[in-house]
Amino acid sequence: MNLDRRTLLRGIGAAGATLAFSGFASAADGSAQYLITGLNRKTRSELEMGGFTIRHVLAEGNVAVVTGPEGAVGDLEGIRGVSAATRDISVELDLPELDATATATPGEDAALRDLQWDNDLTRATPAHEIATGKGARIAIIDSGIDLDHPDLGNVNENLGEVFVADDDVPEIGPGDSGYHGTHVAGIAAATGAVGVVGLAPEAELIPIRVFPANGGATFGDILAGIDYAAEIGADVANFSLGIPGVQQPGVEINKLRASIQKVFQSAVRRGTVITGSAGNASGNLQQGGGLTLPNSVPAVITVSATSPADTLSFYSNYGTSDIDVAAPGGWYETVPRTLGETGEPDDVPFPYNGVLSTWPMDAAPAYLPISGYDAISGTSMAAPQVAGLVGLVRSLDPSLNAGQVESVIKQGADLSNGNSDPRFGAGRINVLETLQLVE
């Protein structure tokens, strides 16, 4: 595949995948969508009398996603029982452009495993002698998962679900409407049947699609996906999604935080660990109260991205207030080193210094000339590393609650003394060390 520097930089600028704010969420009939906290029987009656329709009831009845007239936040806040109301927003995946020249296919027996430098750093292979994720359930809230990929035979399509307000591809169900979800899913739990091995290769994958093929996902649908994961008893729910940039506490968009926190805390209480990406804006989440959504809430294990050299990847957000742990996300601490213009003799060359994982079989990869696989990078790729590790921990000891799972992952991590490194939090995950603490 022929790639010039401009193409590489464009892809690197996208940092694998992030979200772009695309406006306020609306239904197909033009009605506005809102998130409200505080819900009871009388509240529901008043909502219906006020011309609102309830789409989702979440967080054990404490949060609702409703549609209704434009400019109705004040009306909603005036309903008895409603403690907060805010306009929902729509976000779109911002993905690198594709090159349609890939044709090669891999061989058998995890033929691409030697290219998975991330599994070597986290010591995943020797850890699989202790646990492989059997019995664990990993939910992927994303663009769906390729249901026909040979390395994703552990996908439970029957439990898969779709939360898309105006779905333009309803016929695919929880299948992948793009490619982001398939790549994320393979990092967490690819079986290794053909090309690559995930962190928890015998775990069960649950595809929860919140994106149409064209257009954005609403926060209401993303939260519905998290809530559903808890409802079906998922051990972990991964969302490699977040509003780009670093938000300041007073901006309008942060009014969503109350509903997000209620949903996430409810899921954790029900036993589902939540893993989320820290964001790809190179942003300091430590100074001035900066934060990202939906990642900057206490109930989420927020994950920064590291390179093949165990440095913070150049695009990753950082900050003591937010980062819980780090995991391989791909690329190096600078663009020149990523492209091989600087660095060490044993550096992994571009594009293989991205994270190699599964890719929809009918989609052209972005960088590698290998059908069904590609190497991209971002904190999107770091979060499912931790989700896979949660699956391994839970397969060893299903009795551990969400807080205990997070604690043992932090104890087993490398590169940090304590939990407060602004780049790595408690450290870059060490799969073998973590499982040795559990067994």
Side-chain angles (χ1 to χ4, degrees):
M1 182 182 297
N2 295 319
L3 296 169
D4 60 21
R5 180 180 171 85
R6 180 179 298 178
T7 303
L8 300 185
L9 289 173
R10 183 172 62 238
I12 289 171
T18 183
L19 288 180
F21 173 66
S22 62
F24 290 111
S26 299
D29 62 3
S31 59
Q33 184 158 295
Y34 303 89
L35 294 174
I36 64 171
T37 55
L39 198 65
N40 55 45
R41 194 176 305 167
K42 290 184 178 179
T43 307
R44 295 187 190 201
S45 287
E46 291 194 41
L47 283 168
E48 292 167 358
M49 290 173 59
F52 295 95
T53 300
I54 299 175
R55 282 195 64 221
H56 305 302
V57 176
L58 312 173
E60 301 161 286
N62 290 309
V63 173
V65 181
V66 305
T67 58
E70 289 276 0
V73 169
D75 295 335
L76 287 167
E77 290 176 334
I79 293 175
R80 189 179 311 168
V82 173
S83 57
T86 185
R87 184 69 189 274
D88 196 3
I89 66 168
S90 180
V91 287
E92 295 186 5
L93 284 170
D94 181 11
L95 298 162
E97 296 184 17
L98 303 184
D99 185 308
T101 61
T103 57
T105 53
E108 299 178 351
D109 301 321
L112 304 178
R113 169 62 188 86
D114 288 347
L115 299 176
Q116 293 185 268
W117 57 266
D118 50 319
N119 281 8
D120 295 330
L121 274 184
T122 61
R123 304 191 71 190
T125 299
H128 289 159
E129 296 180 11
I130 300 173
T132 54
K134 191 175 181 63
R137 177 173 286 175
I138 301 174
I140 304 294
I141 293 86
D142 213 295
S143 63
I145 300 175
D146 182 358
L147 303 176
D148 298 317
H149 198 288
D151 277 337
L152 298 174
N154 50 347
V155 171
N156 186 332
E157 182 180 357
N158 292 330
L159 279 181
E161 191 56 85
V162 179
F163 297 98
V164 180
D166 299 311
D167 196 359
D168 56 358
V169 283
E171 66 278 4
I172 71 170
D176 203 333
S177 61
Y179 52 83
H180 189 254
T182 296
H183 198 269
V184 167
I187 293 168
T191 64
V194 175
V196 295
V197 182
L199 266 286
E202 288 198 290
E204 179 185 45
L205 283 166
I206 309 298
I208 302 175
R209 181 165 65 87
V210 296
F211 283 93
N214 297 288
T218 69
F219 258 57
D221 287 339
I222 293 170
L223 295 182
I226 295 283
D227 193 81
Y228 175 73
E231 180 185 324
I232 62 172
D235 292 289
V236 58
N238 182 85
F239 66 96
S240 289
L241 310 168
I243 297 172
V246 177
Q247 309 299 315
Q248 296 308 308
V251 300
E252 185 76 13
I253 205 170
N254 289 333
K255 290 182 179 179
L256 293 165
R257 184 177 179 131
S259 297
I260 293 169
Q261 188 150 330
K262 288 275 189 186
V263 172
F264 285 6
Q265 288 174 334
S266 168
V268 168
R269 272 197 309 273
R270 287 179 277 170
T272 299
V273 179
I274 303 174
T275 52
S277 50
N280 302 327
S282 308
N284 187 343
L285 303 175
Q286 190 170 354
Q287 305 296 329
L291 51 90
T292 64
L293 288 176
N295 315 313
S296 292
V297 295
V300 181
I301 300 179
T302 302
V303 188
S304 62
T306 58
S307 76
D310 263 343
T311 55
L312 186 72
S313 301
F314 69 85
Y315 51 79
S316 181
N317 287 346
Y318 58 95
T320 301
S321 59
D322 265 42
I323 304 304
D324 293 302
V325 293
W331 296 336
Y332 285 96
E333 69 277 5
T334 66
V335 171
R337 187 173 185 182
T338 298
L339 297 175
E341 298 169 354
T342 63
E344 301 299 324
D346 60 350
D347 278 357
V348 180
F350 187 90
Y352 300 98
N353 50 29
V355 176
L356 181 67
S357 185
T358 47
W359 200 260
M361 298 300 294
D362 60 356
Y367 294 119
L368 300 185
I370 306 170
S371 178
Y373 302 89
D374 208 356
I376 60 174
S377 293
T379 56
S380 283
M381 285 64 251
Q385 308 264 6
V386 181
L389 179 51
V390 172
L392 294 177
V393 170
R394 275 281 174 80
S395 71
L396 270 185
D397 190 346
S399 71
L400 295 178
N401 64 35
Q404 290 169 326
V405 171
E406 179 175 354
S407 178
V408 76
I409 288 173
K410 288 180 173 180
Q411 289 175 47
D414 294 332
L415 305 182
S416 179
N417 293 318
N419 295 327
S420 58
D421 188 293
R423 300 161 300 168
F424 312 127
R428 190 258 300 134
I429 61 168
N430 182 320
V431 180
L432 179 61
E433 181 69 24
T434 298
L435 296 190
Q436 287 174 338
L437 292 171
V438 177
E439 65 172 343

